[in-house]
Amino acid sequence: MDNARIDKIIEKHHGEASSLIQVLLDIQSEHHWLPKAALKRVSEKLRVPLTQIQHIATFYKAFSLVPKGRHEVHVCVGTACHVRGASRILDTLQELTGIKPGETDLELKFSLETVNCLGCCALGPVLEIDGKTHGKMTTAETADVLKNYQ
Amino acid sequence: MSQIHSPAELEAFRKGILSQRDPKKPCITLCSGSACQASGSAEVALNLEAEIQKQGLSGAVDIRRTGCHGYCERGPIIISNPEGICYFNISPDDVPEIVTKTVKEKKIVERLLYTEPETGEKITHEDEIPFYKHQERLVFGDNVKIDPKSIEDYLAIGGYAALAKALFGMSAEQVLEEVQKSNLRGRGGGGFPAGRKWEGSRSAPEPIKYVIVNADEGDPGAYMDRSLLEGNPHSILEGLTIGAYAIGAHEGFIYVRQEYPLAVENVNRAIRKAEELGFLGKNILGSGFDFTVTVHQGAGAFVCGESTALMTALEGRVGEPRPKYIRSNIKGLWDRPSVLNNVETWANVPLIINNGADWFTRFGTEKSSGTKIFALVGKINNTGLVEVPMGITLRDIIYKIGGGIPGGKKFKAVQTGGPSGGCIPEALLDLGVDFDELAKAGSMMGSGGMIVMDEDTCMVDVARYFIDFLADESCGKCVPCREGTRQMLKILTNITEGRGKEGDIELLEELSETAKEAALCALGKSAPNSFLSTLHYFRDEYEAHIKEKRCPALSCKELIAFYIDPEKCQGCGSCLRKCPAEAIIGGKKLIHIIDQDKCTKCGTCFEVCPTKFAAVTKISGVPVPAPVPEAERTVIKQSKEK
Amino acid sequence: MSEIIFEIDGKEVKAKAGMTILEAARSVGIKIPTLCHHEALEPFGSCRLCTVEVDVRSWTSLVASCVYPVAQNIVVRTRSAKVDRIRKMILELYLAHAPDSFELQDMAQEYGADKNRFEKEASFCIHCGLCVRYCNEVKQKNAVGFVDRGSRKEICFIPEIAAQECWDCKECFPLCPTEALQAAFVLSQALYTPQK
């Protein structure tokens, strides 16, 4: 991500230090991760110490300091999904992808994340891949769904 | 659109909208909230538009894509007006039939109607369906009537009349007084009286004050605030503006999770439209009152639902709470008086101003007036959002509205209040639900998550689940929370994995006391609640895990084994084919056996074993029976008439 | 500034409005244990060791004395069975991370804390934030900061800044109650090769 683009985002938020999180969210959503160079640029432009930016970038779940895989797999582990067996779905996914929540595989195929509630509890347990919801999952179906993503 | 400069102009504008609307014109309402989107509402909408065009009905039928109707279990939902015929679980393929039969020929498509599970009776109208019949949808009811993208829809049902009334018919003190009289309590957590919070800010000397909407709904299993923001964003803006007028604030913020993209989109659009028409901005409706609203997206931290952490996040910093010895309504955002209420609380304000406090207090109980929206989820037949008067019993919510527990299972507990709340057992089902009663039972109202648990739910695991959640979501600033939850999680994990030992319960209790008494914020102080309430009501489950290494609910993976009952197995091979660990030994007409060494306890065999056989069982606390000898492994066919 | 009169451990104490209980107590020589507190820094309220019992209009609660403002007629008790129990537990939680810290050991002795109560996870750092806050508030260099949250929270140097600023400063070293910081710093130095 080049500096001109970052400057544009900062401009959109009027270059105020209080909009730091909003700026980082915009960078994250365009670029899918936060490269160190981008953080440095934001630090200079907003005059916020890099230590503070680093803390924010690691404190909030929406940010990633490493590149993400082609497919983002979100497993809902909200309470409703949990009592309906979400942990078994998560186990199956870990088994199939070989990665843990928060990780991305070496081929950059999948990134696995747990989310706290997708707000479609009627469909629980729920799995979301690249924004598409797969509801009422069983362990067997999870494997079938995952096969559709290359 | 041009700005509206007076209440008279507003009423004229409203009349203009209504005069262009023919109440007899067919209108198909389609639930398009996030939950229904997930079950395919967008595809239904596309088909609906195409089909109406195809059948030459363009212009003769309106389509209204509304927010959430609440009955998520049966979404997507279509209501065909003016008749009010309700169709549930609509798939895109159902659309042509609905258009042909219902819209054109005014006939009912029986198969899409609600069917009463017990009697098989078909029900056509919303207000006769048990799920809706027992609700009191004061706040949530408008969701079905409006397209959240259309400010005209909101105005058509009387929107912004409360704002006009407050700005022109009442002084700021009178507005405050009315809210105080209504005894509106905060719907986001502890139930602090909104009026008292407002008064504190109003009388604080600092001239610059703020009002804030807490839409950082982070409780896992709760999504009513999202549905309100998505489905009726103007009602929240209207409430917020009235609040700002009452306390003398000119700037407001909506802190909404970035995980709620549709809510962000709808509320941003609503703000733009409201500014265009003069409901927000300078000199609102010609009253001389100025007020602007900014949306701030939360980047994903549960702790930011805590008021002081939310304010630090609004300032663009790490969302760590600060000590609350001086309340944030006196010293909040940028150290200025700040009134923070959650989405549902703000949405109640226009109702109170329009109808008066006396009307409002007619609903609910003496100390908890009005209604509350709950997310009724978990092991329940009718998952969805329900709005009920305070004081209704848990039993009515779960059985009359929720339709009871699925699969003939037995109710065990209901969890309320999110991670800070607790579990309520069957013996307390007749408890009237309000702020104080729930607190007395060791739980809390919280933001309104209501997770139903059945006999298959392990209560130790539930405590472990919430502590795990909090250990992950703790901001990490103070020790009782950061280190306390870490240690509690370790002990609870040990217990659920069969490594529990004598003294664990006492150590957990001691850690709970430290967190409760010495943690910095409300989140840390309430962190042990899930443990304390499950221990209080389900101590026997803890003891079974620790002493007998047994999970009574047959849920804790390390304490159970899957076993195929040789007398029931018919050798169908379903489990053999599906087992991902290749742990099943079987063959044609042979009784299948699980190789316990290979079994990963994923539960696939249990899921796929045909219910007519139900041969795969779970056992806990006892050794797995030895496999059937090779000589006796031939399947004996079950006789059909048994 | 108006004078505030209240009671600590049965003694009448006079303090200025805006002072914290801790400041007022120390001004009259009453000891309250702390780890994350430092005179030169803004109160932080993270270690909770300074927890005391306070009666406000006969309502008793536990508060962190380093951030709680003094008020007229309140009654403060710096020791009680409950306060001691909580301090003991906090120390035990800390000792799992830094069992050999002298400062912690001294306090452990006073409160009877058992350093083996919890499984050891020697990370040294106990997140008191003294180094981070000192570098930010006093030195204004921001060479060291926090990363992550909850039980994954850590301190972390920014190598580029550390390489320039830290070598001649090191003022945060003696502040560290577990002497962990030095280890982290040396490690970070070792890992970082300044770019020419």
Side-chain angles (χ1 to χ4, degrees):
Chain A
M1 198 168 203
D2 60 10
N3 283 345
R5 185 65 207 133
I6 294 169
D7 294 354
K8 244 224 166 101
I9 291 174
I10 292 172
E11 225 168 86
K12 191 181 121 194
H13 294 282
H14 314 295
E16 282 165 28
S18 62
S19 59
L20 172 59
I21 296 170
Q22 308 306 301
V23 168
L24 294 181
L25 274 175
D26 280 1
I27 297 175
Q28 171 78 37
S29 94
E30 269 185 33
H31 197 65
H32 303 290
W33 68 289
L34 303 175
K36 185 142 187 189
L39 298 185
K40 278 187 176 164
R41 183 71 181 181
V42 173
S43 167
E44 283 160 23
K45 287 296 229 179
L46 292 182
R47 296 208 191 101
V48 176
L50 202 53
T51 44
Q52 201 182 321
I53 295 181
Q54 198 171 261
H55 195 186
I56 285 174
T58 50
F59 184 91
Y60 293 102
K61 235 179 158 171
F63 303 123
S64 173
L65 294 178
V66 288
K68 289 273 181 176
R70 288 193 297 285
H71 303 295
E72 297 198 32
V73 183
H74 294 173
V75 192
C76 182
V77 291
T79 325
C81 285
H82 178 75
V83 300
R84 290 183 179 193
S87 54
R88 287 209 305 277
I89 307 299
L90 181 60
D91 285 348
T92 309
L93 281 167
Q94 295 192 58
E95 195 105 329
L96 291 168
T97 58
I99 50 172
K100 290 200 179 84
E103 293 178 349
T104 300
D105 62 42
L106 286 174
E107 289 90 49
L108 294 184
K109 189 173 167 191
F110 291 114
S111 290
L112 183 62
E113 291 287 349
T114 56
V115 291
N116 287 330
C117 187
L118 290 169
C120 34
C121 307
L123 299 174
V126 175
L127 178 67
E128 194 188 85
I129 305 181
D130 300 340
K132 186 172 165 40
T133 313
H134 302 270
K136 306 215 159 151
M137 280 287 120
T138 62
T139 46
E141 273 171 63
T142 306
D144 293 340
V145 166
L146 211 62
K147 278 183 204 140
N148 296 325
Y149 294 88
Q150 277 314 310
Chain B
M1 267 192 263
S2 63
Q3 295 237 325
I4 297 170
H5 297 100
S6 69
E9 276 184 46
L10 170 60
E11 285 322 306
F13 191 76
R14 198 191 311 280
K15 270 200 192 120
I17 294 170
L18 288 172
S19 69
Q20 282 164 19
R21 296 190 170 192
D22 174 7
K24 287 187 197 125
K25 185 180 175 188
C27 173
I28 296 181
T29 296
L30 171 66
C31 175
S32 306
S34 282
C36 274
Q37 300 264 15
S39 29
S41 144
E43 289 84 359
V44 173
L46 283 178
N47 274 23
L48 200 54
E49 273 162 27
E51 192 62 31
I52 283 176
Q53 205 172 12
K54 199 172 124 195
Q55 301 213 19
L57 292 167
S58 303
V61 184
D62 288 332
I63 301 174
R64 178 175 292 140
R65 298 188 62 183
T66 69
C68 178
H69 295 193
Y71 204 173
C72 308
E73 187 70 43
R74 297 189 183 238
I77 302 169
I78 275 182
I79 304 175
S80 177
N81 285 317
E83 296 83 6
I85 302 161
C86 294
Y87 294 139
F88 296 94
N89 294 122
I90 301 300
S91 82
D93 303 338
D94 297 327
V95 169
E97 196 179 350
I98 296 174
V99 175
T100 316
K101 280 213 175 136
T102 307
V103 179
K104 263 191 168 166
E105 301 169 15
K106 302 285 169 201
K107 284 184 195 147
I108 287 171
V109 185
E110 288 274 331
R111 69 179 176 88
L112 298 173
L113 289 177
Y114 174 85
T115 313
E116 182 59 39
E118 275 171 33
T119 58
E121 182 199 353
K122 298 275 181 188
I123 302 179
T124 313
H125 296 107
E126 198 179 84
D127 51 8
E128 293 153 14
I129 296 167
F131 177 79
Y132 294 108
K133 199 162 71 179
H134 302 283
Q135 294 191 42
E136 189 79 73
R137 297 198 292 165
L138 305 180
V139 179
F140 201 51
D142 288 341
N143 265 28
V144 300
K145 298 180 201 150
I146 56 176
D147 175 348
K149 295 181 172 57
S150 155
I151 193 169
E152 290 80 6
D153 275 11
Y154 185 63
L155 290 169
I157 59 162
Y160 288 108
L163 179 65
K165 183 178 173 185
L167 290 178
F168 292 92
M170 298 165 89
S171 67
E173 289 84 357
Q174 282 172 321
V175 173
L176 180 64
E177 228 166 82
E178 204 63 31
V179 172
Q180 280 177 320
K181 235 173 78 187
S182 76
N183 194 20
L184 174 67
R185 294 172 70 173
R187 262 68 173 147
F192 192 81
R196 219 193 298 162
K197 203 187 255 186
W198 293 19
E199 194 191 10
S201 277
R202 181 177 166 72
S203 47
E206 172 75 46
I208 298 175
K209 306 167 202 282
Y210 302 108
V211 281
I212 306 165
V213 181
N214 184 350
D216 189 44
E217 186 175 50
D219 285 9
Y223 55 104
M224 50 265 141
D225 288 348
R226 180 185 75 185
S227 292
L228 274 176
L229 263 188
E230 278 180 9
N232 195 354
H234 285 288
S235 69
I236 292 126
L237 292 178
E238 188 178 3
L240 186 68
T241 313
I242 294 169
Y245 171 68
I247 74 154
H250 300 288
E251 234 182 296
F253 297 89
I254 300 178
Y255 187 93
V256 54
R257 310 170 68 191
Q258 60 93 30
E259 291 98 320
Y260 286 177
L262 185 60
V264 174
E265 183 190 325
N266 285 2
V267 84
N268 270 320
R269 184 186 299 101
I271 290 173
R272 266 200 326 273
K273 295 257 176 117
E275 281 169 349
E276 278 169 23
L277 284 177
F279 297 113
L280 282 176
K282 289 243 174 273
N283 191 18
I284 293 172
L285 295 176
S287 65
F289 178 66
D290 306 334
F291 181 61
T292 55
V293 180
T294 314
V295 173
H296 187 107
Q297 291 191 52
F302 175 72
V303 65
C304 288
E306 198 275 342
S307 61
T308 60
L310 187 147
M311 290 179 200
T312 353
L314 272 181
E315 292 168 6
R317 297 189 284 131
V318 161
E320 283 178 353
R322 45 190 178 213
K324 237 181 173 176
Y325 302 129
I326 300 173
R327 288 194 176 279
S328 49
N329 62 340
I330 309 294
K331 211 174 163 187
L333 186 60
W334 290 297
D335 283 341
R336 294 179 177 130
S338 310
V339 165
L340 175 97
N341 281 124
N342 90 326
V343 172
E344 193 183 340
T345 318
W346 288 116
N348 269 290
V349 172
L351 293 174
I352 294 168
I353 297 303
N354 264 332
N355 304 298
D358 291 333
W359 169 84
F360 188 75
T361 50
R362 286 215 302 267
F363 303 93
T365 59
E366 197 198 331
K367 290 199 171 144
S368 303
S369 50
T371 58
K372 176 79 193 87
I373 307 175
F374 289 101
L376 188 60
V377 301
K379 303 285 187 69
I380 184 91
N381 274 316
N382 297 331
T383 296
L385 296 177
V386 304
E387 183 178 351
V388 288
M390 302 261 195
I392 188 173
T393 64
L394 282 168
R395 190 182 301 279
D396 281 354
I397 297 180
I398 293 166
Y399 289 95
K400 279 196 183 157
I401 298 173
I405 318 298
K409 296 275 183 179
K410 204 168 148 346
F411 170 88
K412 187 189 261 183
V414 57
Q415 205 278 347
T416 71
S420 305
C423 291
I424 298 168
E426 197 181 9
L428 295 178
L429 270 183
D430 290 310
L431 188 89
V433 178
D434 68 14
F435 290 103
D436 310 301
E437 290 300 312
L438 285 175
K440 265 190 242 163
S443 185
M444 65 184 280
M445 183 76 84
S447 63
M450 200 172 257
I451 296 107
V452 181
M453 296 164 182
D454 68 4
E455 56 188 299
D456 293 341
T457 314
C458 168
M459 300 317 281
V460 186
D461 179 63
V462 166
R464 189 205 54 80
Y465 167 81
F466 281 114
I467 299 290
D468 185 19
F469 177 88
L470 289 165
D472 184 52
E473 293 289 351
S474 161
C475 78
K477 185 171 176 178
C478 82
V479 188
C481 176
R482 183 187 69 235
E483 297 301 325
T485 52
R486 178 216 289 270
Q487 295 299 345
M488 286 183 82
L489 176 61
K490 272 194 192 176
I491 301 167
L492 287 165
T493 306
N494 280 343
I495 296 176
T496 55
E497 292 182 355
R499 295 187 305 273
K501 53 184 189 298
E502 205 60 38
D504 277 355
I505 292 179
E506 291 71 22
L507 183 53
L508 283 167
E509 284 176 317
E510 221 180 297
L511 283 160
S512 300
E513 187 199 28
T514 306
K516 224 174 153 175
E517 298 288 356
L520 193 156
C521 75
L523 195 84
K525 284 180 190 295
S526 61
N529 282 1
S530 59
F531 161 70
L532 291 172
S533 76
T534 48
L535 180 71
H536 183 70
Y537 295 116
F538 302 96
R539 197 181 181 103
D540 52 334
E541 291 200 24
Y542 280 86
E543 283 170 352
H545 281 76
I546 295 171
K547 289 180 188 156
E548 302 163 43
K549 310 293 172 215
R550 177 172 68 87
C551 174
L554 300 171
S555 145
C556 292
K557 215 168 134 180
E558 307 296 325
L559 293 180
I560 58 166
F562 287 88
Y563 170 67
I564 299 174
D565 186 341
E567 282 175 25
K568 288 185 180 164
C569 178
Q570 296 299 297
C572 73
S574 298
C575 57
L576 180 69
R577 282 190 300 275
K578 286 282 183 185
C579 175
E582 295 176 0
I584 293 173
I585 310 153
K588 236 184 178 176
K589 286 186 182 170
L590 284 183
I591 292 172
H592 292 18
I593 297 167
I594 297 173
D595 180 342
Q596 298 294 336
D597 293 334
K598 281 191 186 164
C599 177
T600 60
K601 299 177 190 174
C602 69
T604 303
C605 53
F606 188 80
E607 278 167 10
V608 298
C609 182
T611 34
K612 57 184 172 183
F613 304 148
V616 181
T617 55
K618 292 188 266 188
I619 51 179
S620 179
V622 289
V624 181
V628 187
E630 276 314 303
E632 295 162 31
R633 275 190 67 191
T634 314
V635 167
I636 308 144
K637 279 275 172 214
Q638 275 177 355
S639 59
K640 292 232 164 109
E641 60 283 85
K642 197 174 148 189
Chain C
M1 278 269 175
S2 59
E3 196 176 56
I4 287 176
I5 301 172
F6 69 109
E7 191 190 301
I8 305 180
D9 294 342
K11 234 197 252 181
E12 193 187 277
V13 177
K14 286 177 190 154
K16 282 193 212 115
M19 269 176 115
T20 63
I21 292 179
L22 180 70
E23 284 166 336
R26 291 199 169 164
S27 73
V28 294
I30 295 173
K31 264 174 59 184
I32 298 174
T34 58
L35 270 177
C36 70
H37 184 77
H38 190 283
E39 276 88 23
L41 303 175
E42 284 290 310
F44 194 49
S46 88
C47 79
R48 318 307 282 180
L49 271 175
C50 68
T51 296
V52 294
E53 237 171 60
V54 176
D55 298 346
V56 184
R57 288 187 294 270
S58 73
W59 177 269
T60 306
S61 56
L62 293 181
V63 303
S65 61
C66 70
V67 283
Y68 195 94
V70 293
Q72 211 65 254
N73 295 326
I74 58 171
V75 177
V76 178
R77 284 177 297 280
T78 65
R79 297 288 289 256
S80 75
K82 201 175 202 175
V83 165
D84 283 12
R85 208 160 56 232
I86 282 161
R87 287 187 190 151
K88 172 177 174 277
M89 177 57 90
I90 289 171
L91 287 167
E92 285 167 345
L93 289 167
Y94 274 144
L95 284 162
H97 292 291
D100 299 322
S101 153
F102 298 126
E103 215 171 321
L104 288 177
Q105 280 176 356
D106 290 347
M107 283 195 249
Q109 203 159 24
E110 172 148 12
Y111 290 94
D114 171 9
K115 74 171 179 181
N116 297 315
R117 186 100 189 258
F118 297 104
E119 195 190 326
K120 298 275 185 311
E121 269 178 274
S123 58
F124 305 106
C125 180
I126 56 166
H127 311 90
C128 66
L130 283 174
C131 54
V132 173
R133 290 180 293 139
Y134 189 84
C135 193
N136 169 263
E137 292 174 32
V138 177
K139 302 300 288 186
Q140 296 179 357
K141 296 296 183 203
N142 299 298
V144 60
F146 283 120
V147 286
D148 221 323
R149 69 182 187 209
S151 48
R152 293 182 308 273
K153 191 174 176 178
E154 281 174 33
I155 54 160
C156 179
F157 281 87
I158 307 275
E160 297 88 330
I161 303 174
Q164 283 173 25
E165 306 289 347
C166 298
W167 209 235
D168 299 321
C169 170
K170 298 193 192 106
E171 286 171 33
C172 58
F173 279 33
L175 299 178
C176 178
T178 69
E179 286 126 86
L181 192 54
Q182 287 91 327
F185 181 70
V186 171
L187 185 64
S188 149
Q189 281 272 307
L191 292 176
Y192 180 66
T193 330
Q195 285 157 359
K196 285 275 158 74

